[in-house]
Amino acid sequence: MRTAVISLFIALAALETLVGSFLFLYDGTPFPSLIRRPLSPGCGETPLQGLVANIYPQPNESYPLAKDQAFVTICSSDDYCRGALALMLSLRQTGTTRHLVVMYSPKEISPSTLTILQQFHPSLHLVPFDPSAYRPSQRTIDELERIHKPHWKNSFTKLAAFSLTNFTKVIYIDSDSLVVQNIDELFLLPHFSCTYQSNHEPCSPRTVDEEDDTFQHINSGLFVTRPSQRLFQELMGHLADPSAVWWNGDQQILLHHFGPQWNRLPQVYSVGIDACACGPDVYRPSSIKVVHFYKGKPWSPPSSDRHPCTRSFYRLWQQYTRNITTTP
Amino acid sequence: MLFECSWEVANKVGGVHSVLVSKASEMVATYGAGYVTIGPWLGNASALQFDESTSPPPSIAAFLHFLESVAGLKAHYGSWLVSANPAVFLLEMNPHHDYRADLWRELRIGNISDQDSTTRDAVKFGYTVARFFASYLDFRDGGFTPDPSHPTADLFLTKAQLPVLHVHEWQAGLAVTLLRSWKKQVGLVFTTHATILGRHLCAGGDVQFYQHLPLIDVDREAGSRGIYAQYCIERGAAANAHVLTTVSTVTAQECKYLLKREPDVLTPNGLSSTTYQPASGEAENLHTRYKMMLHEFVRGHWTGQLTFDLNHTIYAFFAGRYEYLNKGIDIFLDALGWLNNALQAMPTLERTVVAFIITPAPTQGWNNATLSGHFAAVKLRQTCDELKATIGNRLFDSVSHGIIPSGSALLTTAEETALKRHLLLQKGHASYMLPPVVTHNMANEHDPILAHLRRLGLANHPTQPVKVVYHPDFLNPSANPILPLEYLDFVRGCHVGVFPSLYEPFGLTPCEAMCCGTPSITSNTSGFARTLVGAVPNPEEVGVFVLDRMNPRPREQIVSDLGELLLKCALMHRPQRANLRLKTEQAAHVLDWKNLIKYIMEAHQLARTRAQPERPSDAASGIM
């Protein structure tokens, strides 16, 4: 009798998993892994600390952090810093064993955000940086104004990730992304590996095509690199070059620097938020590893052009940030 | 006048032979008829590469007669059958006179056992060369009347310029010491391609060889390894040559610490561009052609079990002598294991890597599974080729009648049955085992490579993205039923060569790969990498990836670094690879003898200057 009950439980659990993934497919319910691990605050702590303690494993001997490798993101506004924290929580939630680094610009964020960052968790590395050091030449700024992409002038701050020389390998992820499955395997990849922009129609099947030469277009939403002082200096040299115009922001600098010598990552490591509208034939939800909110930022008010299938991702982001918004 | 002497002249033993062959045409272009090579006469074995001249010019005939009557030496004169056909003297060694007593009397080198045939041959050869050369000088100066009408008479004409004897490797090194001690008027150049002691110490598995180098007690190590006489001959040659040269900064260190003399000139090895580059820019076309043949091999080897896409398959290879630690085979295998795990962790990368290991080991012939798999594939290919013709006719006929046939109408039932029979044959073949990791039956059942592969669990299992084909023999297209490719064509067909050697004085294999336009991974302990780093600003851009094995590091780190480099090569896709191949091929000209011969000329000139007959003023100081 007892074994029967246990097997019933197992069957139910399996069913739940199954239903969970099903729901995600058609209804947009969050991932089963999240259902099993509630995000509610723990007891006796401030909500924020409770949240962190609950899903933020403590590094110890049985759970060592790989000493010299880190995930890093960069934020230079209140909204993006919230996104950065959501990203960091999603990394921990998916069980990464690497260090987490947030680079932030102290001048451009409010004191309350700074407090949240500082109190987030002692093991989160906070690295302040000065965005004015990453200002492109006036010529580039003018050109970006002219082609109506003025916000791109901030994209050059990403180059700061190359200065983290106390890590031997770093994976940079845009702070408007969420990791939905463990991606620690990317640390196996060589320097310099990066996601790419495809020239294809938005909903064409995206496998790594041998003959596809659209690799010329770097998408710096996620990249794997081996930081070095020399590399950093060289990249900053490109940025400071007064004769160059970087219409494509930091991506163009990276492309200019690495030429054809970089490895393309499969698209599952940077899936645009609207890709789910293409249906499961193009992106099997189970294959998605990182979601990129490249438009329709999760902190901006919902607009009508969000596809219903994207709701689950926004809800997931809300769950991660629910407690972060409450100032302790 | 330049005499070039080595045990490997017209005698294919190892790397020095390839070096001499590849630079022959450049040397002849520089010295003309004044370039003469000297090698050992090995009876019938020598006939393979040697064309004895039946009617040598009168001066040479007179010289040969002089040699035999006065010195009691027999020599064969003719041309060496390599490009530019340089003149060659092959010296017979007297089987009854092994010079060991003379060696002890003259140079106090002794203790050479009867069993040590290598050293005894070297002593014989060294003495024979020295006596040959001394006779040559006697003959030239002893009232010989030259015949200016014949060009080869040059050999005995040019007394104005000092002749130079360029000796390679220790086997002929004794000649240097002897000629110097007999005070003969000749410029002596000794080139060491690798030191005896270095090779022995590294083969012992000293992974920090280069760190330990300055601390090595050379006499004790040579003594304890039973190579004391060889070591004495080599060190004597290095000390007594007017000019000591070596091939790279790596061997220069060995010279400094093991032979106790820093080389005067570095003479990096090159390759003859004509053998490697049929036409520039052809690398990609040739690659595509030979890759198809590798695909054909894989289809045969994986008969009935081909689960991976050949368009997403990368061919990596190792080739070289079976020196498990020296050549870094152990690191390569571990890196394959690492790569297998990495690719398994990222199935979305969609990559399969087939690694070929080409290294000769004792075998008992092809194994059955290999042959039957390839046989089935060949049969299938034949059937398909036949079908192609009949289907073409049928299609033409049908369309001529105004009907475009549907797919199924193109095959008759009988043909379909024939194909089904092939499927069954394949299934039958595949049912009893995985595609074999090794193509031969190994004589040694504890073969280190196989044992290592077993330990790593690499077994060509369908779930493993890294596959291994261990071919324990050199490639020989005429006698190879499964991989009928010339070695260089095989290299062209592959995507990356892996040579993570621990001890590699120069490293011809990555050099050859580069000339074929194939990217390679080599180590910074190899002379090749050292030379290249000096010649091009960024080796990675010209398809040479350098693994750090010089600095002491944990083994795991070396393995993961190599794995990462392999992954980097594997992740490139076709346009990137084509681009890199082009750059690799273009950069290969830095290895052309045309650009490297100047260093050798420099060494010869220096020897001539240093060996000039002493002027009365400095006669007191002496040469030695």
Side-chain angles (χ1 to χ4, degrees), chain B residues 317-329:
Chain B
F317 76 99
F318 163 85
R321 274 195 307 276
Y322 198 151
E323 292 178 13
Y324 190 59
L325 297 174
N326 273 1
K327 294 282 180 193
I329 301 177

Side-chain angles (χ1 to χ4, degrees), chain B residues 452-475:
Chain B
H452 200 143
L453 287 172
R454 236 173 267 138
R455 208 156 54 238
L456 290 168
L458 290 176
N460 290 342
H461 196 269
T463 57
Q464 290 174 331
V466 171
K467 323 276 184 194
V468 182
V469 178
Y470 172 23
H471 184 279
D473 197 359
F474 283 129
L475 295 178

Side-chain angles (χ1 to χ4, degrees), chain B residues 1-5 23 27-28 30-38 87 133 136 155 158 161-168 187 189 600-601 603-605 607-608:
Chain B
M1 280 306 307
L2 179 81
F3 291 84
E4 190 143 41
C5 171
K23 75 173 181 154
M27 294 302 283
V28 171
T30 313
Y31 282 99
Y35 179 62
V36 177
T37 54
I38 303 171
F133 205 81
Y136 159 74
L155 204 55
T158 48
Q161 208 189 24
L162 208 63
V164 173
L165 177 65
H166 189 162
V167 173
H168 294 269
V189 180
I600 291 179
M601 295 304 144
H604 295 165
Q605 194 49 49
R608 233 169 257 133

Side-chain angles (χ1 to χ4, degrees), chain B residues 551-572:
Chain B
N551 302 313
R553 298 190 298 161
R555 188 192 156 82
E556 302 79 62
Q557 220 174 326
I558 299 175
V559 169
S560 67
D561 275 9
L562 178 57
E564 234 176 67
L565 286 175
L566 278 168
L567 192 52
K568 196 175 176 72
C569 294
L571 288 185
M572 284 185 225

Side-chain angles (χ1 to χ4, degrees), chain A residues 169 185-193 207-213 215 226 260-266 268-269 287 289, chain B residues 311-312 338 341-342 345-346 348-351 540-541 545 561 564-565 567-569 571-577 579-580 583:
Chain A
K169 205 175 260 184
E185 73 269 13
L186 290 182
F187 283 101
L188 296 168
L189 285 169
H191 165 85
F192 175 83
S193 302
T207 52
V208 178
D209 180 1
E210 199 54 20
E211 301 291 351
D212 184 0
D213 60 357
F215 74 96
R226 208 178 263 284
Q261 301 284 324
W262 57 281
N263 296 120
R264 294 188 306 178
L265 291 181
V268 291
Y269 291 104
S287 75
K289 300 249 180 177
Chain B
N311 275 329
H312 293 183
W338 186 98
N341 292 344
M346 288 173 276
T348 43
L349 295 177
E350 297 179 33
R351 275 286 184 269
E540 290 214 359
E541 275 177 15
F545 301 87
D561 275 9
E564 234 176 67
L565 286 175
L567 192 52
K568 196 175 176 72
C569 294
L571 288 185
M572 284 185 225
H573 59 301
R574 200 161 290 151
Q576 269 176 315
R577 290 198 302 259
N579 184 320
L580 189 60
K583 284 189 180 161

